[in-house]
Amino acid sequence: MSKRNSQEAKRAARDRLRAERERQAKKDKMRRQALVGVAVLAVLAVAGGIFFAVTKLTAPSDWEAAKDQKLVKPANSSGKDGQDIVIGDGKKTVDVYEDLRCPACAQFEQAAGKILVKGAEEDKYKLKVHLGALIDGNLGGDGSKNAISALGAALDVNKDAFRDYKDAMYSSKFHPEESQDKFADDDYLLEVADSVPALKNNAGFKKSLENGTYDKWALAMVEDFKKSEVQGTPTIRIDGKDVDQQQLPAELQKLGVKLTPPKQ
């Protein structure tokens, strides 16, 4: 091999080596950039997750947000904030304090609720219904408040719809266990409402329930309930005086109420 050919061969080998090194360097650079990109995406994902979690934790709940809503009072309510639900127009006043998640209230309503309402509708007395959220506070959840809001939507339809919907909520068929917060579920409240003719397929009622139209009103009801300082539910008062449940039939008889439940 000539000297010239030898030098050209060496130069060609060096060029091939240099080209190979450049290709390898380029591949290494691309790999480093890819790793950096993945790391950045991972950091952003973690940061995004943290931001989402913090935002979710610090964002107000629906019921906290309801405090800032405009108060909408249902038709057929009275009082400054619509907190008075009154049935009948008698001289004396019977106040009933209840919690819609309360099992004792359900038992009371199943036994005496219709008799109590019947006396009011006959104008033997004014029946004032007060609804609180003691169980929401004690066991957690929003079912008591949510059910009050749903009853507000029913009251806006008419008082009969309110009465029948409340009866359905307290019925043995639909009233949940105290530990089950089923009334927090709008779909379940709509299922209960389907048993009430005035509410079944009622688009206005459904919209009000699902939109939480009466959430602010429900909170006003709860605050008004707290002012009564009742220690438990149900509590019954006649002209401001607490009446034991066992004494209630005799007290109602004094007011001229026949202790026979109305026919279904």
Side-chain angles (χ1 to χ4, degrees), residues 86-156:
V86 183
I87 300 172
D89 193 29
K91 292 182 179 180
K92 289 186 174 292
T93 300
V94 177
D95 292 279
V96 178
Y97 299 85
E98 296 178 314
D99 185 322
L100 289 160
R101 288 177 67 185
C102 167
C105 295
Q107 293 172 2
F108 170 76
E109 285 290 335
Q110 291 168 27
K114 286 183 171 57
I115 295 172
L116 203 56
V117 170
K118 180 174 178 285
E121 291 177 339
E122 293 174 349
D123 291 333
K124 304 295 185 182
Y125 45 79
K126 290 190 290 287
L127 175 63
K128 296 182 69 174
V129 179
H130 307 267
L131 299 170
L134 297 176
I135 295 178
D136 284 0
N138 292 336
L139 297 183
D142 300 311
S144 297
K145 297 186 290 291
N146 205 41
I148 295 172
S149 180
L151 277 174
L155 183 62
D156 193 66

